[in-house]
Amino acid sequence: MAKGTLIAAMNMGRAAENEFNDWYDTEHLPERQRVSGFLACQRWIGAADRRISVATYDLDNVKVLQSPGYLAIGGANLSPWSKRVTAQVERLMRFEGDQILPGDQLPPADAGGLLLNAMNVVPEFEAEFNEWYDKEHIPALAAVPGVLSARRFRGSSGNRKYVALYHLAAPEVQESAEWKQARQSDWTSRLQPHFRDHLRLVLRRYVRGA
């Protein structure tokens, strides 16, 4: 069965950075790490804007998000601290879905950077979009020096249907000449006008106190 994912991307908004990180590190993330089926939980912040926060949760499968263990801490059952902090943030994206490529890969533990690409695509180009991503785009970027893993996900809920996650040795990998060359092709240029709701976030690994 394909692995699942939960991705929460937000701007800290009106929340104080210190409290936001204390809440995430001491309550929010540990709560989820204790839920059966949560496999890898990682935090990231914007490479250029440290008030951008992304948490990625790799799951046994997306059905974990309907399990009693998760429902006991999510939604209406969020803690008072969670409700107070999340009321002050700007939500950029919440994504739940299945890993469609390669299907069952967990993220590397030692990545220093992450590139998140989320989007929709106009329906009449969706089949070609998936063929392009799987056969050309992901293989080309995965071969770039400094790319530790390249994975794709299809959403089961949220405002974007597709997400690609690239774990990088450092955020700067996506600025390299090799990366820029790998992402250029006639096929890419033909499909790009049909992307919608594109969200691109360049992130570095969150380190508490750094």
Side-chain angles (χ1 to χ4, degrees), residues 25 55 58 87 95 138-139 168:
D25 293 344
D58 283 85
F95 180 90
I138 284 276
L168 311 172

Side-chain angles (χ1 to χ4, degrees), residues 67-150:
S67 68
Y70 181 73
L71 295 177
I73 60 170
N77 293 320
L78 285 173
S79 74
W81 198 7
S82 290
K83 290 177 180 178
R84 178 162 58 82
V85 172
T86 56
Q88 301 178 73
V89 305
E90 175 191 351
R91 297 181 186 276
L92 302 177
M93 184 186 73
R94 179 186 168 91
F95 180 90
E96 303 173 6
D98 300 301
Q99 188 182 148
I100 55 176
L101 189 78
D104 59 357
Q105 187 180 87
L106 291 176
D110 57 347
L114 181 73
L115 173 64
L116 180 155
N117 260 320
M119 67 189 74
N120 294 314
V121 61
V122 295
E124 56 267 37
F125 284 89
E126 189 167 1
E128 184 181 3
F129 169 85
N130 283 305
E131 182 182 11
W132 160 76
Y133 234 126
D134 292 348
K135 293 184 177 180
E136 179 184 276
H137 197 59
I138 284 276
L141 293 176
V144 171
V147 177
L148 306 181
S149 75

Side-chain angles (χ1 to χ4, degrees), residues 32-93:
R32 280 136 191 83
Q33 289 175 315
R34 290 192 291 266
V35 174
S36 178
F38 274 69
L39 304 177
C41 307
Q42 298 180 341
R43 284 196 62 199
W44 309 87
I45 60 173
D49 181 358
R50 60 182 296 116
R51 293 188 66 79
I52 299 296
S53 168
V54 173
T56 57
Y57 305 94
D58 283 85
L59 314 171
D60 266 335
N61 58 74
V62 75
K63 293 180 180 178
V64 169
L65 300 176
Q66 301 302 320
S67 68
Y70 181 73
L71 295 177
I73 60 170
N77 293 320
L78 285 173
S79 74
W81 198 7
S82 290
K83 290 177 180 178
R84 178 162 58 82
V85 172
T86 56
Q88 301 178 73
V89 305
E90 175 191 351
R91 297 181 186 276
L92 302 177
M93 184 186 73

Side-chain angles (χ1 to χ4, degrees), residues 186-198:
D186 292 340
W187 202 359
T188 302
S189 298
R190 190 170 76 249
L191 284 174
Q192 279 180 329
H194 307 293
F195 299 168
R196 299 291 184 270
D197 310 308
H198 191 191

Side-chain angles (χ1 to χ4, degrees), residues 130-190:
N130 283 305
E131 182 182 11
W132 160 76
Y133 234 126
D134 292 348
K135 293 184 177 180
E136 179 184 276
H137 197 59
I138 284 276
L141 293 176
V144 171
V147 177
L148 306 181
S149 75
R151 302 180 298 160
R152 287 190 66 213
F153 303 85
R154 179 184 291 113
S156 53
S157 70
N159 55 10
R160 271 93 172 175
K161 188 172 182 180
Y162 293 101
V163 166
L165 294 180
Y166 304 92
H167 283 75
L168 311 172
E172 295 76 21
V173 169
Q174 52 81 42
E175 298 174 354
S176 69
E178 293 92 340
W179 178 279
K180 292 174 182 177
Q181 179 64 35
R183 65 186 295 272
Q184 292 176 351
S185 75
D186 292 340
W187 202 359
T188 302
S189 298
R190 190 170 76 249

